[in-house]
Amino acid sequence: MTRQPLRLAVAEAERALAAAGVDTPRVDAELLAAHVLGVPRGKLLMVPLVDHEVVAALGALVARRAAREPLQHLTGTAPLGDLDLAVGPGVFVPRPETELLLRWGLEALGGVSAPVVVDLCTGTGALALGVAHARPDATVHAVEKDPAALAWARRNVDALAAAGGAPVRLHAADVTAPDPLPDLDGRVDLVLSNPPYVPEGTPVSPEVAADPHHAVFAGADGLAVIRSLVDLTACLLRPGGAVAVEHDDTHGESVPALFAARTLFADVALHRDLAGRPRFTTARRT
Ligand SMILES: C[S@@+](CC[C@H](N)C(=O)[O-])C[C@H]1O[C@@H](n2cnc3c(N)ncnc32)[C@H](O)[C@@H]1O
């Protein structure tokens, strides 16, 4: 059987994905090729020729991606910082922009030994695991209400623990319920959260529509969960403890205002992404 140049198969995949309106056709084509070959994307150049079976397997994945199945559902993983998290249908796919929040949180923990950290609305466990990986001395709690998401979180937590990372304690709970973590009240050094925040009815891409609805949307103004998070965070943080909450780019005034309205919070700050869009808000417990 004749072998074919991989670069031609990748170029054809790129063309098909561009025609389907995929934002990053080259990156997606290369990541799918790397997935089929079982090599890191950076090593594709070391595979000049591939068998017909590889081209066929790549073609099948490209057809699914062209139908706008999320890339991460096809590869089964999504990166966050140094971690590769297992993902699939039924759980929110962690996005690169959440790394900004994680980085801020890790900096806020500088100088705090054996910190207690809570990730509210954990999904795959992304933020909780990012902290546990970077700070093995931390005690990390993660809260999620959706059983399907919790199953993915359990899988990722077990994988990090098996690799020698700090264990993450998972809590099946609703962050809008009264006092869901009573044992942690007043003891927490850092609360991180990427909750659902898109205003109901906002048009979204097919990839975002593939995430569970309740993981993305939160009421008419997108603040239905964040309002409760502000109250819960005020209970959980110790004096001097810090919080960072990701939000919609339409929330650049409303979320800082929710924190500033509580005398329990100080140093309220809005953080923008590299494109200048409001991305997350931070505060400290007085
Ligand atoms: C935007 S996703 C983010 C997941 C994860 N933090 C990340 O960055 O990848 C929001 C998550 O919050 C969960 N969620 C939504 N409402 C919740 C609530 N009231 N209590 C607990 N979890 C909730 C959803 O099931 C979903 O997993």
Side-chain angles (χ1 to χ4, degrees):
M1 180 79 64
T2 54
R3 308 186 85 209
Q4 303 182 27
L6 176 62
R7 66 183 168 76
L8 292 185
V10 170
E12 192 178 323
E14 181 185 359
R15 273 194 297 279
L17 296 179
V22 171
D23 277 347
T24 52
R26 182 77 196 178
V27 173
D28 286 31
E30 289 182 358
L31 285 170
L32 288 175
H35 174 68
V36 169
L37 289 163
V39 300
R41 179 177 166 216
K43 294 266 162 66
L44 284 178
L45 281 177
M46 296 167 77
V47 187
L49 295 173
V50 288
D51 291 333
H52 170 73
E53 288 77 14
V54 169
V55 177
L58 177 59
L61 288 177
V62 167
R64 289 172 63 187
R65 183 70 190 102
R68 304 299 293 270
E69 262 187 71
L71 173 74
Q72 299 83 353
H73 286 189
L74 300 175
T75 60
T77 63
L80 188 82
D82 298 337
L83 294 174
D84 270 328
L85 299 156
V87 297
V91 72
F92 181 88
V93 173
R95 305 297 204 271
E97 54 265 31
T98 302
E99 280 187 41
L100 297 175
L101 184 85
L102 175 61
R103 248 183 272 147
W104 185 92
L106 291 174
E107 275 172 29
L109 289 179
V112 184
S113 63
V116 177
V117 180
V118 176
D119 171 11
L120 299 172
C121 299
T122 196
T124 52
L127 286 165
L129 288 161
V131 173
H133 180 64
R135 288 293 302 261
D137 62 327
T139 301
V140 185
H141 298 260
V143 181
E144 171 61 54
K145 76 166 184 185
D146 177 3
L150 269 171
W152 285 100
R154 166 62 53 209
R155 183 170 161 185
N156 284 313
V157 164
D158 288 351
L160 184 70
V168 169
R169 297 168 201 196
L170 288 175
H171 302 259
D174 183 338
V175 300
T176 65
D179 212 8
L181 299 171
D183 293 350
L184 293 177
D185 282 350
R187 293 183 42 217
V188 175
D189 297 288
L190 175 68
V191 170
L192 294 179
S193 184
N194 175 21
Y197 54 67
V198 178
E200 202 69 59
T202 305
V204 294
S205 68
E207 287 79 3
V208 175
D211 287 316
H213 188 90
H214 60 267
V216 175
F217 297 96
D221 61 2
L223 295 172
V225 176
I226 291 182
R227 276 194 198 89
S228 300
L229 281 184
V230 173
D231 294 337
L232 174 56
T233 300
C235 293
L236 290 173
L237 287 180
R238 62 156 171 85
V243 54
V245 178
E246 188 170 318
H247 51 70
D248 198 57
D249 54 12
T250 60
H251 293 153
E253 290 181 5
S254 50
V255 173
L258 285 174
F259 281 102
R262 303 284 305 257
T263 51
L264 285 174
F265 290 111
D267 302 338
V268 177
L270 174 69
H271 300 252
R272 296 175 185 273
D273 61 19
L274 293 176
R277 284 182 297 251
R279 190 97 314 276
F280 66 98
T281 290
T282 58
R284 266 187 196 282
R285 171 85 156 77
T286 52

